[in-house]
Short mmCIF file of all heavy atoms in Angstrom, two decimals:
data_model
loop_
_atom_site.label_atom_id
_atom_site.label_comp_id
_atom_site.label_asym_id
_atom_site.label_seq_id
_atom_site.Cartn_x
_atom_site.Cartn_y
_atom_site.Cartn_z
N GLY A 76 6.36 -1.68 -6.26
CA GLY A 76 7.69 -2.33 -5.69
C GLY A 76 8.21 -3.23 -6.66
O GLY A 76 9.04 -4.12 -6.23
N GLY A 101 9.06 4.06 -10.71
CA GLY A 101 10.02 3.56 -9.63
C GLY A 101 10.30 2.16 -9.71
O GLY A 101 10.82 1.58 -8.82
N ARG A 103 12.27 -1.21 -10.68
CA ARG A 103 13.69 -1.45 -10.71
C ARG A 103 14.13 -2.65 -11.57
O ARG A 103 13.30 -3.53 -11.79
CB ARG A 103 14.24 -1.78 -9.25
CG ARG A 103 14.20 -0.73 -8.32
CD ARG A 103 14.37 -1.11 -6.91
NE ARG A 103 13.22 -1.80 -6.30
CZ ARG A 103 13.27 -2.73 -5.36
NH1 ARG A 103 14.40 -3.03 -4.85
NH2 ARG A 103 12.22 -3.36 -5.03
N VAL A 131 7.75 -7.52 1.72
CA VAL A 131 7.76 -6.21 1.11
C VAL A 131 9.06 -5.53 1.05
O VAL A 131 9.18 -4.52 0.25
CB VAL A 131 6.68 -5.43 1.82
CG1 VAL A 131 5.23 -5.93 1.76
CG2 VAL A 131 7.09 -5.23 3.26
N HIS A 132 9.95 -5.86 1.95
CA HIS A 132 11.22 -5.11 1.96
C HIS A 132 12.10 -5.22 0.71
O HIS A 132 12.85 -4.33 0.34
CB HIS A 132 12.03 -5.44 3.19
CG HIS A 132 11.25 -5.54 4.44
ND1 HIS A 132 10.80 -4.25 5.00
CD2 HIS A 132 10.65 -6.42 5.06
CE1 HIS A 132 10.09 -4.58 6.01
NE2 HIS A 132 9.99 -5.96 6.18
N SER A 133 11.89 -6.26 -0.01
CA SER A 133 12.60 -6.48 -1.26
C SER A 133 11.88 -6.07 -2.51
O SER A 133 12.48 -5.82 -3.46
CB SER A 133 12.87 -8.06 -1.44
OG SER A 133 13.58 -8.59 -0.38
N GLY A 134 10.63 -5.68 -2.36
CA GLY A 134 9.79 -5.54 -3.47
C GLY A 134 9.29 -6.88 -4.05
O GLY A 134 9.56 -7.91 -3.48
N LYS C 231 4.83 0.10 1.80
CA LYS C 231 6.38 -0.09 1.82
C LYS C 231 6.93 0.94 0.94
O LYS C 231 7.99 1.66 1.33
CB LYS C 231 6.87 -1.45 1.77
CG LYS C 231 8.34 -1.55 1.87
CD LYS C 231 8.80 -1.46 3.25
CE LYS C 231 10.34 -1.25 3.23
NZ LYS C 231 10.80 -1.13 4.76
N ARG C 232 6.63 0.86 -0.32
CA ARG C 232 7.28 1.62 -1.41
C ARG C 232 7.15 3.15 -1.03
O ARG C 232 7.87 3.96 -1.69
CB ARG C 232 6.70 1.21 -2.69
CG ARG C 232 7.02 1.95 -3.91
CD ARG C 232 6.27 1.67 -5.04
NE ARG C 232 4.94 2.16 -5.17
CZ ARG C 232 4.06 2.27 -6.18
NH1 ARG C 232 4.49 1.68 -7.31
NH2 ARG C 232 2.88 2.60 -6.07
N MET D 87 19.15 1.08 1.63
CA MET D 87 18.40 1.78 0.56
C MET D 87 18.35 0.95 -0.70
O MET D 87 17.26 1.16 -1.48
CB MET D 87 19.17 3.13 0.26
CG MET D 87 18.77 4.25 1.08
SD MET D 87 19.78 5.83 0.60
CE MET D 87 19.31 5.82 -1.20
N ASP D 90 16.66 -2.99 0.96
CA ASP D 90 15.54 -3.37 1.86
C ASP D 90 14.52 -2.42 2.05
O ASP D 90 13.87 -2.38 3.04
CB ASP D 90 16.29 -3.58 3.20
CG ASP D 90 17.23 -4.82 3.31
OD1 ASP D 90 16.71 -5.88 3.01
OD2 ASP D 90 18.51 -4.60 3.49
N GLU D 91 14.39 -1.48 1.09
CA GLU D 91 13.45 -0.45 1.25
C GLU D 91 12.32 -0.53 0.29
O GLU D 91 11.54 0.33 0.00
CB GLU D 91 14.07 0.93 1.38
CG GLU D 91 15.00 1.06 2.40
CD GLU D 91 15.55 2.34 2.74
OE1 GLU D 91 15.51 3.23 1.93
OE2 GLU D 91 16.12 2.52 3.92
N GLY D 92 12.20 -1.67 -0.22
CA GLY D 92 10.89 -2.02 -1.12
C GLY D 92 10.75 -1.07 -2.37
O GLY D 92 9.70 -1.01 -2.91
N GLY D 93 11.92 -0.47 -2.87
CA GLY D 93 11.74 0.42 -3.83
C GLY D 93 11.47 1.88 -3.46
O GLY D 93 11.11 2.63 -4.43
N ALA D 94 11.44 2.13 -2.33
CA ALA D 94 10.97 3.52 -1.83
C ALA D 94 12.01 4.56 -2.41
O ALA D 94 11.40 5.61 -2.99
CB ALA D 94 10.86 3.55 -0.32
N PRO D 95 13.15 4.41 -2.40
CA PRO D 95 14.07 5.50 -2.96
C PRO D 95 13.75 5.70 -4.33
O PRO D 95 13.60 6.94 -4.88
CB PRO D 95 15.51 5.06 -2.68
CG PRO D 95 15.44 4.05 -1.52
CD PRO D 95 14.04 3.42 -1.83
N GLU D 96 13.50 4.70 -5.11
CA GLU D 96 13.27 4.67 -6.60
C GLU D 96 11.94 5.40 -6.72
O GLU D 96 11.73 6.22 -7.66
CB GLU D 96 13.20 3.39 -7.12
CG GLU D 96 14.76 2.65 -7.25
CD GLU D 96 15.10 1.97 -5.96
OE1 GLU D 96 14.37 2.07 -5.01
OE2 GLU D 96 16.15 1.34 -6.03
N PHE D 97 10.93 4.92 -5.98
CA PHE D 97 9.45 5.48 -6.17
C PHE D 97 9.49 7.01 -5.79
O PHE D 97 8.88 7.79 -6.46
CB PHE D 97 8.61 4.69 -5.27
CG PHE D 97 7.16 5.18 -5.26
CD1 PHE D 97 6.44 5.06 -6.56
CD2 PHE D 97 6.57 5.74 -4.17
CE1 PHE D 97 5.14 5.56 -6.55
CE2 PHE D 97 5.21 6.18 -4.32
CZ PHE D 97 4.52 6.05 -5.40
N LEU D 98 10.02 7.41 -4.67
CA LEU D 98 9.84 8.71 -4.19
C LEU D 98 10.90 9.69 -4.92
O LEU D 98 10.59 10.94 -4.65
CB LEU D 98 10.10 8.60 -2.63
CG LEU D 98 9.01 7.96 -1.84
CD1 LEU D 98 9.29 7.79 -0.33
CD2 LEU D 98 7.62 8.59 -2.10
#
Side-chain angles (χ1 to χ4, degrees):
Chain A
R103 290 169 288 159
V131 294
H132 311 288
S133 306
Chain C
K231 177 69 191 181
R232 176 183 71 164
Chain D
M87 272 179 58
D90 296 301
E91 300 192 341
E96 291 85 355
F97 177 67
L98 293 171

